[in-house]
């Protein structure tokens, strides 16, 4: 699960959480893994001014997912203005 401080909370498992996306973690022998979603999801933002974006990768039980210091994690976010 990918949590973020910029999205409004939604109900997940009976509690409110700031979950941006739920996606599978795949173990591979390759140097990199690309997971591209076919259908974009749009979430309501907490406010209109975003100064910082905090992201947390966690398991379904809430434990942090740690990456080795040599791994690079890239998250591509798309913003849209719906009025």
């Amino acid at each position: 699960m990918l949590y973020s401080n910029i999205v409004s909370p939604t109900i997940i498992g009976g509690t409110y959480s700031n979950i941006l996306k739920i996606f599978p973690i795949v173990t591979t022998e390759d140097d990199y893994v690309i997971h591209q979603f076919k259908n974009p999801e749009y979430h309501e933002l907490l406010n209109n001014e975003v100064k910082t974006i905090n992201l947390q990768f966690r398991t379904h039980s809430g434990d942090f997912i740690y990456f080795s210091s040599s791994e690079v994690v890239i998250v591509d976010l798309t913003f849209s203005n719906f009025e």
Side-chain angles (χ1 to χ4, degrees), residues 57-59 63-69 71 73:
F57 290 91
R58 293 180 179 233
T59 63
D63 298 327
F64 286 103
I65 296 175
Y66 294 99
F67 299 93
S68 72
S69 60
E71 290 180 294
V73 178

Side-chain angles (χ1 to χ4, degrees), residues 13-65:
T15 60
Y16 283 97
S17 298
N18 295 70
I19 292 181
L20 186 60
K21 187 71 177 171
I22 298 174
F23 57 93
I25 299 293
V26 180
T27 303
T28 179
E29 297 290 324
D30 296 332
D31 290 338
Y32 59 89
V33 175
I34 296 175
H35 191 95
Q36 187 170 6
F37 298 98
K38 294 179 182 178
N39 301 316
E41 294 179 13
Y42 295 98
H43 301 273
E44 184 179 346
L45 296 179
L46 283 172
N47 58 52
N48 292 334
E49 292 185 25
V50 176
K51 293 182 182 179
T52 60
I53 298 175
N54 296 321
L55 301 174
Q56 297 177 352
F57 290 91
R58 293 180 179 233
T59 63
H60 281 285
S61 62
D63 298 327
F64 286 103
I65 296 175

